[in-house]
Amino acid sequence: MSLMHYLVLSGILFTIGAVTVLVRRNAILAFMGVELMLNSCNLALVAFSRVHGTLTGQVMAFYVMVVAAAEVVVGLAIIVSIYRARRTVSVDEPSLLRN
């Protein structure tokens, strides 16, 4: 596969993730969309790293995965605590974080 194939796949995955974040009203699905966008960026980084013959893109992709894992842990903890308090995880609730 050429670099263009990887970049097109990365763009398609990023678009699917962005549409998921913008269209879905469930916080968990929005997090899944963000994760899909991060993974599409990782695919592009690894593809460029492979083409150029360096490990820089792969190392950056590893750091992105570490930050994404930390983001998921914190985000899901916030979502669980909101669900326990309000019994909803809809992002349409404007007064969700107020007392």
Side-chain angles (χ1 to χ4, degrees):
M1 290 179 69
S2 68
L3 176 64
M4 187 58 74
H5 291 105
Y6 288 113
L7 294 181
V8 167
L9 179 61
S10 176
I12 291 170
L13 290 175
F14 191 88
T15 303
I16 292 171
V19 168
T20 302
V21 169
L22 294 174
V23 172
R24 296 294 183 173
R25 297 289 109 199
N26 190 334
I28 294 174
L29 292 176
F31 270 115
M32 287 175 59
V34 170
E35 290 297 318
L36 191 59
M37 292 188 319
L38 288 172
N39 284 328
S40 72
C41 293
N42 284 342
L43 178 63
L45 285 171
V46 171
F48 280 121
S49 175
R50 181 173 174 243
V51 166
H52 292 293
T54 63
L55 291 177
T56 307
Q58 294 177 11
V59 171
M60 288 177 61
F62 179 73
Y63 285 134
V64 169
M65 288 190 303
V66 169
V67 170
E71 175 249 337
V72 165
V73 168
V74 172
L76 286 179
I78 291 171
I79 289 172
V80 166
S81 67
I82 289 173
Y83 179 76
R84 286 182 181 170
R86 306 286 181 165
R87 294 291 181 223
T88 182
V89 291
S90 176
V91 294
D92 287 334
E93 290 287 330
S95 63
L96 195 59
L97 297 177
R98 287 190 237 152
N99 282 330

